Amino acid sequence: MSKLKMILLMGFVCLYSIKLQAQYIIEQIEYEIPINYELLPEDMEFDDIADEARFFLQLSESKLRDAAQKEYGDIEIIKSTIYIDGDNFAVESSSQEDGKTTVILNHNKGLIYYVLWSQKKIYEMSAEDMAEIQKGVGDAMQKMMADLPPEMKDQPQTAKQITATGRGMVKYGQRCSEYLLEDEQEMMVIWASDDNMGLAKKAKSMSEKLAEIFPSMDEDEQDEWDLVAGKIPVEVRTFRLDAMDDAQMGIQAITRIMKTTPPAEKFILPAEAVGFERGSFKDMMTQMQKMMQGMEEE
């Protein structure tokens, strides 16, 4: 799940009054590993892309990471800690690209704060902002559907099929079972554990509310929580080819889950953020669009 999607997901859920009467602290990591083909045994050949994906998905993270660092340099790891306390949430993340970022839901004010520490900026998102975004997404989807040829409009969306492999392994202290998903775009392995903390139920409630508010957002992809319903996707490994046919391994992992009360100060703006430049969520989206346009023109 991407950072922006996670922000929107949790914000919509809380601001639209889904009562999450639960308390958690969740630590997770996310990173991309470029595939180093020196890991292949001599004279090894693959029948197809799926065969290639299966080989690399079974290699350990340490082996993939060490080989990639040898060929391409350091691998950036995004570390996040999520704090949930009833209707309040906060997400603290750090990465080389964005530095330290903090997302805070102030439920009483009906606002989400997004703090960019390196830029000394705070973006605010209100219920009105979300309503405007929803309208924009709906209008864009209607226009896109109107431009499609009739045969594509009537084409049914097929759900991704996931298969239990029967393999088990302990991942990050959790006893997990392996699930394999294959489609034309990518291949995914999910190591999922049984949920004895009620976390999967909360994630399902959030996904359903997001789909209700933004039905277009989940049409093209199923969330890993949906794919292993009732379980916790402790580690998700995705093998994909980019536009240049270079192979990448995306890894997301929940490294620690604590069912405990987070510190109260996690749900208010930090004192050191006083004096930061303030902006709206629309300002942030405009800035992101300009950055994407600049990247496309290069």
Side-chain angles (χ1 to χ4, degrees), residues 249-263:
M249 180 79 73
I251 297 179
Q252 303 173 62
I254 297 173
T255 57
R256 191 180 184 193
I257 303 172
M258 294 166 280
K259 194 170 185 180
T260 186
T261 304

PDB file of all heavy atoms in Angstrom, residues 249-263:
ATOM      1  N   MET A 249      12.204  -6.105  -7.448  1.00  0.00           N
ATOM      2  CA  MET A 249      11.491  -6.826  -6.399  1.00  0.00           C
ATOM      3  C   MET A 249      11.041  -5.801  -5.362  1.00  0.00           C
ATOM      4  O   MET A 249      11.869  -5.145  -4.712  1.00  0.00           O
ATOM      5  CB  MET A 249      12.395  -7.861  -5.729  1.00  0.00           C
ATOM      6  CG  MET A 249      11.708  -8.639  -4.625  1.00  0.00           C
ATOM      7  SD  MET A 249      10.657  -9.951  -5.269  1.00  0.00           S
ATOM      8  CE  MET A 249      11.909 -11.124  -5.798  1.00  0.00           C
ATOM      9  N   GLY A 250       9.730  -5.632  -5.236  1.00  0.00           N
ATOM     10  CA  GLY A 250       9.198  -4.741  -4.213  1.00  0.00           C
ATOM     11  C   GLY A 250       8.890  -5.545  -2.967  1.00  0.00           C
ATOM     12  O   GLY A 250       8.281  -6.623  -3.037  1.00  0.00           O
ATOM     13  N   ILE A 251       9.324  -5.042  -1.813  1.00  0.00           N
ATOM     14  CA  ILE A 251       9.103  -5.746  -0.544  1.00  0.00           C
ATOM     15  C   ILE A 251       8.453  -4.795   0.454  1.00  0.00           C
ATOM     16  O   ILE A 251       8.944  -3.690   0.683  1.00  0.00           O
ATOM     17  CB  ILE A 251      10.410  -6.311   0.025  1.00  0.00           C
ATOM     18  CG1 ILE A 251      10.992  -7.369  -0.934  1.00  0.00           C
ATOM     19  CG2 ILE A 251      10.184  -6.916   1.413  1.00  0.00           C
ATOM     20  CD1 ILE A 251      12.295  -7.972  -0.485  1.00  0.00           C
ATOM     21  N   GLN A 252       7.322  -5.221   1.033  1.00  0.00           N
ATOM     22  CA  GLN A 252       6.681  -4.520   2.136  1.00  0.00           C
ATOM     23  C   GLN A 252       6.586  -5.501   3.290  1.00  0.00           C
ATOM     24  O   GLN A 252       6.199  -6.651   3.099  1.00  0.00           O
ATOM     25  CB  GLN A 252       5.274  -4.066   1.761  1.00  0.00           C
ATOM     26  CG  GLN A 252       5.188  -3.176   0.536  1.00  0.00           C
ATOM     27  CD  GLN A 252       3.739  -2.925   0.143  1.00  0.00           C
ATOM     28  OE1 GLN A 252       2.966  -2.359   0.900  1.00  0.00           O
ATOM     29  NE2 GLN A 252       3.367  -3.362  -1.046  1.00  0.00           N
ATOM     30  N   ALA A 253       6.921  -5.043   4.485  1.00  0.00           N
ATOM     31  CA  ALA A 253       6.894  -5.951   5.628  1.00  0.00           C
ATOM     32  C   ALA A 253       6.429  -5.220   6.878  1.00  0.00           C
ATOM     33  O   ALA A 253       6.838  -4.092   7.139  1.00  0.00           O
ATOM     34  CB  ALA A 253       8.275  -6.560   5.860  1.00  0.00           C
ATOM     35  N   ILE A 254       5.550  -5.882   7.615  1.00  0.00           N
ATOM     36  CA  ILE A 254       5.150  -5.411   8.944  1.00  0.00           C
ATOM     37  C   ILE A 254       6.097  -6.079   9.924  1.00  0.00           C
ATOM     38  O   ILE A 254       6.032  -7.289  10.148  1.00  0.00           O
ATOM     39  CB  ILE A 254       3.690  -5.786   9.246  1.00  0.00           C
ATOM     40  CG1 ILE A 254       2.750  -5.094   8.248  1.00  0.00           C
ATOM     41  CG2 ILE A 254       3.326  -5.406  10.670  1.00  0.00           C
ATOM     42  CD1 ILE A 254       1.298  -5.530   8.372  1.00  0.00           C
ATOM     43  N   THR A 255       6.999  -5.303  10.480  1.00  0.00           N
ATOM     44  CA  THR A 255       8.063  -5.874  11.293  1.00  0.00           C
ATOM     45  C   THR A 255       7.682  -6.053  12.764  1.00  0.00           C
ATOM     46  O   THR A 255       8.297  -6.833  13.478  1.00  0.00           O
ATOM     47  CB  THR A 255       9.320  -4.994  11.216  1.00  0.00           C
ATOM     48  OG1 THR A 255       8.995  -3.662  11.647  1.00  0.00           O
ATOM     49  CG2 THR A 255       9.836  -4.936   9.782  1.00  0.00           C
ATOM     50  N   ARG A 256       6.624  -5.306  13.196  1.00  0.00           N
ATOM     51  CA  ARG A 256       6.226  -5.409  14.609  1.00  0.00           C
ATOM     52  C   ARG A 256       4.806  -4.877  14.777  1.00  0.00           C
ATOM     53  O   ARG A 256       4.453  -3.859  14.183  1.00  0.00           O
ATOM     54  CB  ARG A 256       7.185  -4.610  15.498  1.00  0.00           C
ATOM     55  CG  ARG A 256       7.027  -4.863  16.982  1.00  0.00           C
ATOM     56  CD  ARG A 256       8.023  -4.035  17.772  1.00  0.00           C
ATOM     57  NE  ARG A 256       7.964  -4.311  19.190  1.00  0.00           N
ATOM     58  CZ  ARG A 256       8.551  -3.563  20.126  1.00  0.00           C
ATOM     59  NH1 ARG A 256       9.263  -2.492  19.763  1.00  0.00           N
ATOM     60  NH2 ARG A 256       8.445  -3.870  21.400  1.00  0.00           N
ATOM     61  N   ILE A 257       3.997  -5.578  15.550  1.00  0.00           N
ATOM     62  CA  ILE A 257       2.645  -5.133  15.880  1.00  0.00           C
ATOM     63  C   ILE A 257       2.494  -5.193  17.395  1.00  0.00           C
ATOM     64  O   ILE A 257       2.722  -6.237  18.014  1.00  0.00           O
ATOM     65  CB  ILE A 257       1.564  -6.021  15.234  1.00  0.00           C
ATOM     66  CG1 ILE A 257       1.740  -6.074  13.718  1.00  0.00           C
ATOM     67  CG2 ILE A 257       0.167  -5.500  15.586  1.00  0.00           C
ATOM     68  CD1 ILE A 257       0.829  -7.088  13.055  1.00  0.00           C
ATOM     69  N   MET A 258       2.097  -4.082  17.979  1.00  0.00           N
ATOM     70  CA  MET A 258       1.848  -4.026  19.422  1.00  0.00           C
ATOM     71  C   MET A 258       0.418  -3.547  19.646  1.00  0.00           C
ATOM     72  O   MET A 258       0.045  -2.477  19.173  1.00  0.00           O
ATOM     73  CB  MET A 258       2.835  -3.080  20.104  1.00  0.00           C
ATOM     74  CG  MET A 258       4.273  -3.555  20.068  1.00  0.00           C
ATOM     75  SD  MET A 258       5.444  -2.251  20.513  1.00  0.00           S
ATOM     76  CE  MET A 258       5.536  -1.357  18.946  1.00  0.00           C
ATOM     77  N   LYS A 259      -0.371  -4.324  20.352  1.00  0.00           N
ATOM     78  CA  LYS A 259      -1.725  -3.894  20.707  1.00  0.00           C
ATOM     79  C   LYS A 259      -1.625  -3.196  22.060  1.00  0.00           C
ATOM     80  O   LYS A 259      -1.745  -3.806  23.126  1.00  0.00           O
ATOM     81  CB  LYS A 259      -2.681  -5.086  20.765  1.00  0.00           C
ATOM     82  CG  LYS A 259      -4.146  -4.674  20.795  1.00  0.00           C
ATOM     83  CD  LYS A 259      -5.081  -5.844  20.597  1.00  0.00           C
ATOM     84  CE  LYS A 259      -6.527  -5.361  20.522  1.00  0.00           C
ATOM     85  NZ  LYS A 259      -7.469  -6.486  20.317  1.00  0.00           N
ATOM     86  N   THR A 260      -1.382  -1.896  21.971  1.00  0.00           N
ATOM     87  CA  THR A 260      -1.128  -1.110  23.174  1.00  0.00           C
ATOM     88  C   THR A 260      -1.552   0.333  22.936  1.00  0.00           C
ATOM     89  O   THR A 260      -1.799   0.726  21.794  1.00  0.00           O
ATOM     90  CB  THR A 260       0.373  -1.166  23.550  1.00  0.00           C
ATOM     91  OG1 THR A 260       0.581  -0.512  24.791  1.00  0.00           O
ATOM     92  CG2 THR A 260       1.238  -0.511  22.472  1.00  0.00           C
ATOM     93  N   THR A 261      -1.624   1.123  23.991  1.00  0.00           N
ATOM     94  CA  THR A 261      -2.031   2.520  23.880  1.00  0.00           C
ATOM     95  C   THR A 261      -0.853   3.376  23.430  1.00  0.00           C
ATOM     96  O   THR A 261       0.167   3.433  24.119  1.00  0.00           O
ATOM     97  CB  THR A 261      -2.552   3.049  25.225  1.00  0.00           C
ATOM     98  OG1 THR A 261      -3.612   2.208  25.683  1.00  0.00           O
ATOM     99  CG2 THR A 261      -3.063   4.481  25.086  1.00  0.00           C
ATOM    100  N   PRO A 262      -0.953   4.050  22.283  1.00  0.00           N
ATOM    101  CA  PRO A 262       0.150   4.918  21.839  1.00  0.00           C
ATOM    102  C   PRO A 262       0.242   6.164  22.735  1.00  0.00           C
ATOM    103  O   PRO A 262      -0.739   6.561  23.372  1.00  0.00           O
ATOM    104  CB  PRO A 262      -0.269   5.319  20.411  1.00  0.00           C
ATOM    105  CG  PRO A 262      -1.359   4.360  20.031  1.00  0.00           C
ATOM    106  CD  PRO A 262      -2.047   3.994  21.296  1.00  0.00           C
ATOM    107  N   PRO A 263       1.399   6.814  22.778  1.00  0.00           N
ATOM    108  CA  PRO A 263       1.531   8.063  23.535  1.00  0.00           C
ATOM    109  C   PRO A 263       0.577   9.130  22.995  1.00  0.00           C
ATOM    110  O   PRO A 263       0.434   9.298  21.782  1.00  0.00           O
ATOM    111  CB  PRO A 263       2.994   8.470  23.294  1.00  0.00           C
ATOM    112  CG  PRO A 263       3.689   7.201  22.908  1.00  0.00           C
ATOM    113  CD  PRO A 263       2.672   6.394  22.171  1.00  0.00           C
TER     114      PRO A 263
END
